[in-house]
Amino acid sequence: MPTAIRTISRADAALVSAFADYGVATVHEAQGRTGLMRSYMRPVWPGARIAGSAVTATVAPGDNWTIHVAAELVQKGDILVVSPTSPCEDGYFGDLLATLLRARGCLGLVIEGGCRDVADLQKMRFPVWSKAISAQGTVKETPGDVNLPIVCGGQQVAPGDVILADDDGVVVVPRLHAEAVLTASKVREEKEARIRARYAEGELGLDMNGMREPLAKKGLVYRDAPEG
Amino acid sequence: MPTAIRTISRADAALVSAFADYGVATVHEAQGRTGLMRSYMRPVWPGARIAGSAVTATVAPGDNWTIHVAAELVQKGDILVVSPTSPCEDGYFGDLLATLLRARGCLGLVIEGGCRDVADLQKMRFPVWSKAISAQGTVKETPGDVNLPIVCGGQQVAPGDVILADDDGVVVVPRLHAEAVLTASKVREEKEARIRARYAEGELGLDMNGMREPLAKKGLVYRDAPEG
Amino acid sequence: MPTAIRTISRADAALVSAFADYGVATVHEAQGRTGLMRSYMRPVWPGARIAGSAVTATVAPGDNWTIHVAAELVQKGDILVVSPTSPCEDGYFGDLLATLLRARGCLGLVIEGGCRDVADLQKMRFPVWSKAISAQGTVKETPGDVNLPIVCGGQQVAPGDVILADDDGVVVVPRLHAEAVLTASKVREEKEARIRARYAEGELGLDMNGMREPLAKKGLVYRDAPEG
Amino acid sequence: MPTAIRTISRADAALVSAFADYGVATVHEAQGRTGLMRSYMRPVWPGARIAGSAVTATVAPGDNWTIHVAAELVQKGDILVVSPTSPCEDGYFGDLLATLLRARGCLGLVIEGGCRDVADLQKMRFPVWSKAISAQGTVKETPGDVNLPIVCGGQQVAPGDVILADDDGVVVVPRLHAEAVLTASKVREEKEARIRARYAEGELGLDMNGMREPLAKKGLVYRDAPEG
Amino acid sequence: MPTAIRTISRADAALVSAFADYGVATVHEAQGRTGLMRSYMRPVWPGARIAGSAVTATVAPGDNWTIHVAAELVQKGDILVVSPTSPCEDGYFGDLLATLLRARGCLGLVIEGGCRDVADLQKMRFPVWSKAISAQGTVKETPGDVNLPIVCGGQQVAPGDVILADDDGVVVVPRLHAEAVLTASKVREEKEARIRARYAEGELGLDMNGMREPLAKKGLVYRDAPEG
Amino acid sequence: MPTAIRTISRADAALVSAFADYGVATVHEAQGRTGLMRSYMRPVWPGARIAGSAVTATVAPGDNWTIHVAAELVQKGDILVVSPTSPCEDGYFGDLLATLLRARGCLGLVIEGGCRDVADLQKMRFPVWSKAISAQGTVKETPGDVNLPIVCGGQQVAPGDVILADDDGVVVVPRLHAEAVLTASKVREEKEARIRARYAEGELGLDMNGMREPLAKKGLVYRDAPEG
C-alpha cells in the first residue's frame, strides 16, 4: 500500500544550512567515514553545494508520479531524495519539476535514476545529483512512498536526515547526529587548514604526523636503486 | 560486400533545422517516448544542440576507414551517425576528421565508439556525441557500409532520419514522421510553457492535473506520521 | 616487503616538458599507437595538459599511506602515478595532498582510483586523472611500494617514464624512447597541420591519401540508392 | 568506534527455515515486491536454496578481519550478511572461513564483495552469494561492525531479518513481518500452482485474468498486418 | 498507440528448424559476421540450442503486460524476442509464463531484460537468453507493441526473422536471407570440419592458409630472442 | 613493427606443472598477494585447473591473426596469454583454434577478450579464461606481437612466466620466482590444512590467532544489545 507521511522531524534549520559551509569530503570524514553515497551519484552540472533536510520518495521504474506527491510535502530548505524500486535510469526529472520544487522551497534533488533538461537546470541553477542523464520519459501509473526510509546510492536515508551534496558527491548525516557531526566538521576543517599551511611550506606528512617509525614497523624499506 | 549508397532521401532542410528549436527531451516526448539513444551517448563538450539529416556508417572495430567514405557523401546540414560492427571504444574521430566534415557542411557526429582531440573539438565548436573519449588510434584495413540502416545507441537509424542532439542525449526521428513530430513538439513546448508558469506560481501538479483522485484509487494513503 | 626506491633515472627535464606541446592523441600515434591508458582514466577538471616523469606507487585498497612516502621522493617536474593493489575507487587524494605534492614540485596525479575535493583541485589548478570521483576516506595501515614498475590504467609504467595527460586521457612513453617519440610527435604534428589545411579546403581524404583504389580492392561498391 | 552486538532478536527457528520451501521470486512478490537485493548478487555455485536469520557485518575494503568477529556471534540457522564500507570485490571469504562458519552452524554467506575457493565451496556445499569471484587476498587491520543495520545489495538488512537466497538472488524479509510474509508466500504459491495448471492446458492469461478489456482501454489495437 | 500485429510472415518451418544443426558462431560467420546480439545476452542455463521464428514485443520498464498479448500470437516453432522501451533488468519472465508459452508451442525466450525462476526453467528445459537474472517483479499497467520491428541486444529484429541461440549467444537471420544463410552455414561447417581435421594433425594455419607471405608484407619480423 | 620472438626462457617443466597441485588463491597468497588478474577474467566452463608457461601475444581489436603466429611458437606445457591492443570483446578464439593449439601441446588460453564455441570447448575439455563469451567473428589484417611482455587482466605477463588458472581466476608467477613461490605455496597449504582442521572442530579464528587483544586495541567494543 503506497504511503505518504505528511509530518516528519527535521533538524534545526540553521544547523542544517550550516553544513553547506563544509565539503562533502570533510563531513564524511567528520562522521567517521560513513554515509557517503556511491560514486555514480554525480552532479548534472558542476559547482553547486547544498545542504538540506531529506524528504524521501520511491518511484516505480519508468514512473515519476510520486514526485508530484512529494512536491506537496517538501518545505523550504528540503532536498528531495528519490530511489526507484528497481534500478532504472530513465529521465524522471526535468526543468518543469524543478520549477515546481523550487516554488515550494526545495533546494535540489538527489535521485538514483536519470535526469533530463540538464542545460535548463544549469541555467536555473537548480542542482541535481543523479545516476544518469537521460531524456527518456516516464509514466504516471504506479505510486510509491513518500517519507519512508529508503536506500539511495547505497546509503540508508531516513526522512529528515541532513543531506549535503557538492562536486564530490552526496553524504547523509542522520538527523540526530547532525549537531555533533557539524561540530566535528568544524574541528576537522580547522585542523585541515593548519595541515594545509604546513604542507604548503613543504613540510612532509611523514614528519608532521610521525609516520616514519610506524612505516618502518610495517616493514617499509628504502633502497637507493632498484635491484640490479 | 561493403556498400556505400550515394543518394538518400532527406526531409526538407528547413523542417530539419527547425528541430533545433526544441530540446531532445521535448521531441522524444512529442513522438511518443520513442527514438532516444541510450544514456551512454554523451556530448564530448557541453552546450551544443544540433539537428540534421542522418548519414549512417558502420566501422570495423578499431578501424575508421569508412568515415572517409562517408565524408564524401555528407551534405550541408547532415549529421554523421556511426556504429562499430562490434563494440569498440577506440578514438575513431578527432579534429582532422572534424575539419574535413565541417568543410563538407556536416554539422556534427554521433558515434557509438570513442572520440579524441576533445579540447580541439570544443575550440572548433564541432559537436560530437560518443560512448567514450579515447585517444586510441585506429587503422584503415576494413571498409564498412555507408547509408544502410544501422543500430546506434540502441536505436534503429535509417539514412535521412532526423537526428537531434543536445546535452540530454540524442533522439532519432524517422524521416517520414518529421513534420508531424515537429508540430507535436511545438504543441508540447507551448503546453510546457503554460505548466511552467503555473508551477512557478506554486501550483501543484496534484491539483493542476487532477491527480488526487487517481492516486487514491491506486491506493495511496496519507498518514501524519510514521507508524509505531 | 614494501619497498621505496629513492633514486630513479629520469629523462632530460627539457625533453620531458617539451611533450606538453603535443596532445595525448598525437604522441600515442607517434609511438605506434601504444602506451595509452584505458579510457576510464579521466581528468577531474577539464582543460589541463601536463608532461612529467613518473614516480610510481602502489596503495592498498582504501589506504593512502604510501602517497605520503611518495611525496618525499617526488621532484620538480614529476607526475605521481598510483595504482591500488586491487581495484578500489575510494577518494585517495584531495586538496591537502595536492598542496603537499605541489610544494614538492609535483605537476599532477594519475590514479587508478578515486579523487576528492575536485572543486578545490580545480581552483588550485592541480590536475588529476582518475577512475572515479569519490569523497570516501582512506586509512593508513598498510604501506605499498614506491618507484617499482606498476600497471596503471591497463599500461605498464616504470619509474622515470614520461607521462603526458590531457583531456583525451593519459599516455606513457618509456623513458629510453622519449627522445625518438618526441621527434616523431613533432613530425606527426607538422604532417597533421598540412592535412588539416587541405581538409579545411574541402579536399577529401579519399583523394588526398589515394584511398579509392584500395577501397575498391577490399570490395567496396557504390550504389545510387538502396535495394528494392 | 567499531561495535559488535552479541545479542540479537531472531524470528522463530521453524518459521525461518520454512521460508526455504519457497523461491526468492515468490517471497519477494508475497511481500509486495520489496526487499530484493540487486541482481549482481549471484550464487557462486548453482542449485542451493537457504533461509536463515541475518547476522550482519561491515568490512573495510580489502580487509576481512570482522568476519572472524562475526564467526563467534553466529548461531545455528544464521546466514552471515557482509558489506564493505566502500565498494570492493576482493576475495574476502574462502573455504577456511566456510569451514569455520559451518562448524558454528551458519548456513551460508551473502557478501557485497568477492569470494574465492569456489570449487572447494561447491564441494563442501557451502552456499555463497557474492558480487564477484576473486582470489584477491585481504588483510586484518581495520575492524568493522557486527550486528548493526547495514545496506547490502541495495537493501537495508537488520540483524535478525530473514534472508532467503536461491539461484534467482537474495531477498530480505524484515523479522517482524516474517510470519505474515510466510503465510502470503504459501497463498501465492498455491495460486501460482492453479495458474500453472491452466497455462499448461493452453489457457491464455488474457482470458484467465480478464485482461482484454483493460488492454483495450489502455489503447491497445490489433491489426492483421503491418502498415504499408 | 500500442499495436499488436496478428499476422506475420515466417520462413518455412523446416528451413527454420534446420538452423539448430549449426552453432551461433557458424551462422554468424556464414552471413558475413552480422546479426549477433551483444555479449551480455546470456543463457540462464547452459546447454540449450534453439532456432525459431521471431515474434517481437516491447515492454515498458518494470511491466510485463505485453508478454500476455504476445502469448496469444506465438505459434509452434516461434521464439519470443522482447525489449524494454528503456533499459530495465527486472524479472519480466518466470516459470508461469514459460508454462504458458510452451503450451502455445513457443520454443524459448530472448529478452533484453531480466528473467527469474531460473532453477525451474532449467528443470522444465525452457531456454531463455537474458541480460540479467532477477526476481524483481513487474506490473501490468502499460501495454507495448507486438510484432513491430524492435532492437534487441543491439540488433534489429523484425517479426518472422530467424533466431538462433546457444551457449555462445543469439544471432538474428533476416527472414528473406534464411535460405541462403542456411546453405552458407552448411558450406562453412563442412569447411571447418576439414580444417579441424588438419589442425588436429598438427598442421599450422600459417601453412594451410598461406599466411606467411602476407604476414611478412604487413611487416611481421621474427627474432630469436628479445632485444638487449 | 610487429615482432615474434621464437626463443623464450621457461621454468623447469616439472616445476611449472607442480603448480597445478595448488589453487590460484593459495599461490596468490604465497607470493604476497600479487599477480592476480582482474576478476572479470572468468573460465568459460567450470572445473578446470591448469599451470603452464606463458606464451604472450597481442592482437588488434577484432583481429585474431596473431594467434596463428603464436600457434607455431607454443610448446608442450605452454599457456597462450593474449591481450588486444585496445579493449575488445570479440570472439577471437573457438574450437578450431583450440584444436590447433592442443595439437601443439598447448594447455589452454587466457585472453582479455572474447571466446566462442564454448559448448565445444567444454566437450573437448580445452580450458579458456576470458573477459567475455561472444560469437563475434574477427578478421586477419593486422599482426601483433608474440612473446613480448604484455598487460593482461591488469597484470604484467612476461613470456615464460608461470600461469596458474582455475575457477577462482588467473595468477601470474614471474619465472624467476617460480621455485620460491611453489615452496611457499606448499608451506601455505600445509598451514591451511591445520587451520581447516581446527576450524572444523569449532575453534575460533579469534582464539587460534590471538586476535582478541589487537581487536580491542583497534577499538572494537562488544555490547549486549543495540542502543536505545
Side-chain angles (χ1 to χ4, degrees):
Chain A
M1 195 166 55
T3 303
I5 305 297
R6 283 202 187 88
T7 316
I8 64 169
S9 300
R10 292 169 175 85
D12 172 76
L15 173 63
V16 173
S17 59
F19 273 92
D21 295 340
Y22 303 96
V24 164
T26 299
V27 169
H28 160 71
E29 289 283 350
Q31 73 173 337
R33 293 178 185 158
T34 61
L36 187 74
M37 290 193 186
R38 291 287 180 258
S39 63
Y40 56 68
M41 300 297 290
R42 298 294 306 142
V44 302
W45 52 268
R49 181 187 289 162
I50 56 172
S53 298
V55 164
T56 61
T58 56
V59 287
D63 187 317
N64 73 350
W65 209 4
T66 323
I67 296 180
H68 285 278
V69 179
E72 187 179 28
L73 303 179
V74 294
Q75 300 183 357
K76 186 162 180 292
D78 285 347
I79 294 174
L80 182 58
V81 183
V82 178
S83 277
T85 53
S86 68
C88 183
E89 301 195 353
D90 287 354
Y92 288 91
F93 188 91
D95 79 295
L96 286 182
L97 284 171
T99 302
L100 170 57
L101 288 188
R102 170 160 287 171
R104 312 295 295 183
C106 181
L107 300 176
L109 174 77
V110 172
I111 184 166
E112 187 164 341
C115 172
R116 59 185 184 176
D117 301 327
V118 296
D120 293 323
L121 293 172
Q122 185 164 16
K123 268 179 233 148
M124 293 173 64
R125 310 291 298 173
F126 188 91
V128 174
W129 285 257
S130 72
K131 193 177 176 183
I133 291 170
S134 170
Q136 180 71 38
T138 51
V139 299
K140 288 174 181 62
E141 296 282 0
T142 309
D145 301 312
V146 178
N147 281 330
L148 295 184
I150 64 171
V151 173
C152 182
Q155 292 296 339
Q156 172 81 1
V157 184
D161 283 349
V162 178
I163 302 293
L164 173 68
D166 65 15
D167 286 352
D168 283 354
V170 184
V171 68
V172 186
V173 179
R175 180 174 58 90
L176 296 176
H177 301 181
E179 190 160 4
V181 172
L182 185 69
T183 303
S185 300
K186 194 180 173 207
V187 169
R188 186 172 174 89
E189 182 143 301
E190 289 164 356
K191 182 183 161 201
E192 287 186 356
R194 290 190 298 271
I195 295 172
R196 192 177 295 110
R198 292 171 69 178
Y199 280 173
E201 296 295 313
E203 191 169 350
L204 287 168
L206 293 179
D207 297 318
M208 199 164 80
N209 304 310
M211 290 173 178
R212 292 187 191 275
E213 187 183 316
L215 280 165
K217 278 193 185 159
K218 292 280 184 173
L220 178 69
V221 295
Y222 285 85
R223 290 214 313 271
D224 277 342
E227 285 178 315
Chain B
M1 195 166 57
T3 302
I5 305 297
R6 283 200 186 90
T7 316
I8 64 170
S9 300
R10 291 169 175 83
D12 173 75
L15 173 64
V16 174
S17 59
F19 273 93
D21 294 340
Y22 303 96
V24 163
T26 300
V27 171
H28 160 72
E29 290 283 350
Q31 73 172 338
R33 292 180 185 157
T34 61
L36 187 74
M37 290 193 187
R38 292 285 181 260
S39 64
Y40 56 67
M41 299 296 292
R42 298 294 306 141
V44 302
W45 52 267
R49 181 187 290 162
I50 57 171
S53 298
V55 164
T56 61
T58 56
V59 289
D63 188 317
N64 73 350
W65 208 5
T66 322
I67 296 179
H68 285 277
V69 179
E72 187 179 28
L73 303 179
V74 294
Q75 299 183 358
K76 186 162 179 297
D78 286 346
I79 295 175
L80 183 58
V81 184
V82 178
S83 277
T85 52
S86 69
C88 182
E89 300 195 352
D90 288 353
Y92 286 91
F93 189 90
D95 80 295
L96 286 183
L97 284 171
T99 302
L100 171 56
L101 287 189
R102 170 159 287 171
R104 312 294 296 184
C106 181
L107 299 177
L109 174 78
V110 173
I111 183 164
E112 188 164 343
C115 172
R116 59 186 184 176
D117 300 328
V118 297
D120 292 323
L121 293 172
Q122 184 164 17
K123 268 179 232 148
M124 292 173 64
R125 308 292 296 172
F126 188 91
V128 174
W129 285 258
S130 72
K131 193 177 176 183
I133 291 170
S134 168
Q136 180 71 38
T138 51
V139 299
K140 288 174 182 62
E141 295 283 0
T142 308
D145 301 312
V146 178
N147 281 330
L148 294 184
I150 64 172
V151 173
C152 182
Q155 292 296 339
Q156 173 81 1
V157 184
D161 283 350
V162 178
I163 302 294
L164 174 67
D166 66 14
D167 286 352
D168 282 354
V170 184
V171 68
V172 186
V173 179
R175 180 173 57 89
L176 296 175
H177 300 181
E179 191 160 3
V181 173
L182 186 68
T183 303
S185 299
K186 195 181 172 207
V187 169
R188 187 174 173 87
E189 183 142 302
E190 289 163 357
K191 182 184 160 201
E192 288 186 354
R194 290 190 299 271
I195 296 172
R196 193 178 294 111
R198 292 171 69 179
Y199 281 173
E201 296 295 313
E203 191 169 351
L204 286 169
L206 293 178
D207 298 317
M208 199 163 79
N209 305 308
M211 290 173 177
R212 293 188 191 274
E213 186 183 319
L215 280 165
K217 278 193 184 157
K218 293 278 184 176
L220 178 68
V221 296
Y222 285 86
R223 289 213 315 271
D224 277 343
E227 283 178 313
Chain C
M1 194 167 57
T3 302
I5 305 297
R6 284 200 186 89
T7 316
I8 65 170
S9 300
R10 290 168 177 86
D12 172 75
L15 173 62
V16 174
S17 59
F19 273 93
D21 295 340
Y22 303 97
V24 163
T26 299
V27 170
H28 160 70
E29 290 283 349
Q31 73 172 338
R33 293 179 183 159
T34 61
L36 186 74
M37 290 192 186
R38 292 288 180 257
S39 63
Y40 55 68
M41 300 296 292
R42 298 295 305 143
V44 302
W45 52 267
R49 181 187 288 162
I50 57 171
S53 299
V55 164
T56 62
T58 57
V59 288
D63 187 317
N64 73 352
W65 209 5
T66 323
I67 296 179
H68 284 278
V69 178
E72 186 179 29
L73 303 179
V74 295
Q75 299 184 357
K76 187 162 178 295
D78 286 346
I79 294 174
L80 183 58
V81 184
V82 178
S83 278
T85 52
S86 69
C88 182
E89 300 195 353
D90 288 354
Y92 287 92
F93 188 90
D95 81 294
L96 287 182
L97 284 171
T99 303
L100 170 57
L101 287 188
R102 170 159 285 171
R104 310 295 294 184
C106 181
L107 300 176
L109 174 77
V110 172
I111 183 165
E112 188 164 343
C115 171
R116 59 184 184 177
D117 300 328
V118 297
D120 292 324
L121 293 172
Q122 185 164 17
K123 268 179 233 148
M124 294 173 64
R125 309 290 298 171
F126 188 91
V128 174
W129 285 257
S130 71
K131 193 177 176 184
I133 291 170
S134 169
Q136 180 71 39
T138 51
V139 299
K140 289 175 180 63
E141 295 282 0
T142 308
D145 301 312
V146 178
N147 281 329
L148 295 184
I150 64 172
V151 173
C152 182
Q155 293 295 339
Q156 172 81 2
V157 184
D161 283 349
V162 177
I163 302 295
L164 174 68
D166 65 16
D167 286 351
D168 283 354
V170 184
V171 67
V172 186
V173 179
R175 181 174 57 90
L176 296 176
H177 300 181
E179 190 160 4
V181 172
L182 185 68
T183 303
S185 300
K186 195 181 172 206
V187 169
R188 186 173 175 88
E189 182 142 302
E190 288 164 355
K191 182 182 160 201
E192 287 186 355
R194 289 189 300 270
I195 295 173
R196 193 177 294 111
R198 292 172 69 180
Y199 281 173
E201 295 296 313
E203 192 169 349
L204 287 168
L206 293 179
D207 298 317
M208 200 164 80
N209 304 310
M211 290 172 176
R212 292 190 192 271
E213 187 183 317
L215 279 164
K217 278 193 185 158
K218 292 278 184 175
L220 178 68
V221 295
Y222 285 86
R223 290 212 315 271
D224 275 344
E227 283 177 316
Chain D
M1 194 167 56
T3 303
I5 306 296
R6 283 202 187 88
T7 315
I8 65 170
S9 301
R10 291 168 176 85
D12 172 75
L15 172 64
V16 173
S17 59
F19 274 93
D21 294 340
Y22 303 96
V24 163
T26 299
V27 171
H28 159 71
E29 289 283 350
Q31 73 173 338
R33 294 180 183 156
T34 61
L36 187 74
M37 290 193 188
R38 292 285 180 260
S39 63
Y40 56 67
M41 300 297 291
R42 298 295 305 143
V44 303
W45 53 267
R49 182 187 290 162
I50 56 172
S53 298
V55 164
T56 60
T58 56
V59 288
D63 187 317
N64 73 351
W65 209 4
T66 323
I67 296 179
H68 284 278
V69 179
E72 186 179 29
L73 303 179
V74 294
Q75 300 184 357
K76 187 163 179 295
D78 286 345
I79 295 175
L80 182 58
V81 183
V82 178
S83 277
T85 52
S86 68
C88 182
E89 300 195 353
D90 287 354
Y92 287 91
F93 188 90
D95 80 295
L96 287 182
L97 284 171
T99 303
L100 170 57
L101 288 189
R102 171 159 287 171
R104 311 296 295 185
C106 180
L107 299 177
L109 174 76
V110 173
I111 183 165
E112 188 164 341
C115 171
R116 60 186 185 176
D117 301 327
V118 296
D120 292 323
L121 292 173
Q122 184 164 20
K123 268 179 234 149
M124 294 173 64
R125 310 291 296 172
F126 188 92
V128 175
W129 286 258
S130 71
K131 193 177 177 184
I133 292 170
S134 169
Q136 181 70 40
T138 51
V139 299
K140 289 174 181 63
E141 296 282 1
T142 309
D145 300 313
V146 178
N147 281 330
L148 295 184
I150 64 171
V151 174
C152 182
Q155 292 295 340
Q156 172 81 0
V157 184
D161 283 349
V162 178
I163 302 294
L164 173 68
D166 65 15
D167 287 352
D168 283 354
V170 183
V171 67
V172 186
V173 179
R175 181 174 57 91
L176 295 176
H177 302 180
E179 191 159 4
V181 172
L182 185 68
T183 303
S185 300
K186 195 181 171 208
V187 170
R188 185 172 175 88
E189 182 142 301
E190 288 164 356
K191 181 183 161 201
E192 288 186 354
R194 290 191 299 270
I195 295 173
R196 193 178 294 111
R198 293 171 69 179
Y199 281 173
E201 295 296 312
E203 192 170 349
L204 287 167
L206 293 178
D207 298 318
M208 199 164 80
N209 304 310
M211 290 172 177
R212 293 189 193 272
E213 186 183 318
L215 280 165
K217 278 193 186 158
K218 292 278 184 174
L220 178 68
V221 295
Y222 284 85
R223 288 212 316 271
D224 275 344
E227 284 177 315
Chain E
M1 194 168 55
T3 302
I5 305 295
R6 283 201 186 89
T7 317
I8 64 169
S9 301
R10 291 168 175 84
D12 173 75
L15 174 63
V16 173
S17 60
F19 273 94
D21 294 340
Y22 303 97
V24 164
T26 299
V27 170
H28 159 71
E29 289 283 351
Q31 73 172 338
R33 292 177 184 159
T34 61
L36 186 75
M37 289 192 188
R38 292 286 180 258
S39 63
Y40 57 68
M41 298 298 290
R42 298 295 305 143
V44 303
W45 51 269
R49 182 188 290 162
I50 57 172
S53 298
V55 164
T56 61
T58 56
V59 287
D63 187 316
N64 73 351
W65 209 5
T66 322
I67 296 179
H68 284 278
V69 179
E72 187 179 26
L73 303 179
V74 293
Q75 299 184 358
K76 187 164 179 292
D78 287 345
I79 294 174
L80 183 58
V81 184
V82 178
S83 277
T85 53
S86 69
C88 181
E89 301 195 351
D90 288 354
Y92 287 90
F93 189 91
D95 81 294
L96 286 182
L97 284 171
T99 302
L100 170 56
L101 288 188
R102 171 160 287 171
R104 312 294 296 183
C106 181
L107 300 176
L109 174 76
V110 172
I111 184 166
E112 188 164 342
C115 172
R116 59 186 186 175
D117 300 329
V118 297
D120 293 323
L121 293 172
Q122 184 163 20
K123 268 180 233 148
M124 295 172 63
R125 310 291 297 169
F126 188 91
V128 174
W129 286 256
S130 72
K131 193 177 176 183
I133 291 169
S134 169
Q136 180 71 37
T138 52
V139 298
K140 289 173 182 63
E141 296 283 0
T142 308
D145 302 311
V146 178
N147 281 330
L148 295 184
I150 64 171
V151 174
C152 182
Q155 292 295 337
Q156 172 81 359
V157 184
D161 283 349
V162 178
I163 303 294
L164 173 68
D166 66 15
D167 287 351
D168 283 354
V170 184
V171 68
V172 185
V173 179
R175 180 174 56 90
L176 296 176
H177 300 182
E179 191 161 3
V181 172
L182 185 69
T183 304
S185 299
K186 195 182 171 206
V187 169
R188 185 173 175 89
E189 182 142 303
E190 289 163 356
K191 183 184 159 199
E192 287 186 354
R194 290 191 297 272
I195 295 172
R196 194 178 293 110
R198 292 171 69 179
Y199 282 173
E201 295 296 313
E203 192 170 349
L204 287 167
L206 292 179
D207 298 318
M208 200 165 80
N209 305 310
M211 289 172 177
R212 293 189 192 273
E213 188 182 317
L215 280 165
K217 277 193 186 157
K218 292 279 184 174
L220 178 69
V221 295
Y222 284 85
R223 289 212 316 269
D224 276 343
E227 283 177 316
Chain F
M1 194 166 56
T3 302
I5 305 297
R6 282 202 187 88
T7 317
I8 64 169
S9 300
R10 291 168 176 85
D12 173 74
L15 173 63
V16 173
S17 58
F19 273 93
D21 295 340
Y22 304 96
V24 163
T26 300
V27 170
H28 159 72
E29 290 283 351
Q31 71 173 340
R33 292 177 185 161
T34 62
L36 186 75
M37 289 193 187
R38 291 288 179 257
S39 63
Y40 56 68
M41 300 296 292
R42 297 296 304 143
V44 301
W45 52 268
R49 182 187 290 162
I50 56 172
S53 298
V55 164
T56 61
T58 56
V59 288
D63 188 317
N64 73 350
W65 209 4
T66 322
I67 296 179
H68 285 278
V69 179
E72 187 178 29
L73 304 180
V74 294
Q75 299 184 359
K76 186 164 180 293
D78 286 346
I79 295 174
L80 183 57
V81 183
V82 178
S83 278
T85 52
S86 68
C88 182
E89 300 195 353
D90 288 353
Y92 286 91
F93 188 91
D95 80 294
L96 286 182
L97 284 171
T99 303
L100 171 56
L101 288 189
R102 172 159 285 171
R104 312 294 297 184
C106 181
L107 300 177
L109 174 77
V110 173
I111 183 165
E112 188 164 342
C115 172
R116 60 187 186 175
D117 301 327
V118 297
D120 293 323
L121 293 172
Q122 185 164 18
K123 269 179 231 147
M124 295 172 62
R125 309 292 296 171
F126 188 91
V128 174
W129 286 256
S130 72
K131 192 176 176 183
I133 291 171
S134 168
Q136 180 71 38
T138 51
V139 299
K140 290 175 180 62
E141 296 282 1
T142 309
D145 302 312
V146 178
N147 281 331
L148 294 184
I150 64 172
V151 173
C152 182
Q155 291 296 340
Q156 173 81 359
V157 183
D161 283 350
V162 178
I163 302 295
L164 173 68
D166 66 15
D167 287 352
D168 283 354
V170 184
V171 68
V172 186
V173 179
R175 180 174 57 91
L176 297 176
H177 301 180
E179 191 160 4
V181 172
L182 185 68
T183 304
S185 300
K186 195 181 171 206
V187 170
R188 184 170 175 90
E189 182 143 301
E190 288 164 355
K191 182 183 162 201
E192 287 186 355
R194 290 189 299 270
I195 295 172
R196 191 177 295 111
R198 293 170 69 179
Y199 280 173
E201 295 296 312
E203 191 170 350
L204 288 167
L206 294 178
D207 298 317
M208 199 165 80
N209 304 309
M211 290 173 177
R212 292 187 192 274
E213 186 184 318
L215 279 165
K217 278 192 184 158
K218 293 278 184 173
L220 178 69
V221 295
Y222 285 85
R223 290 212 313 271
D224 276 343
E227 282 177 317

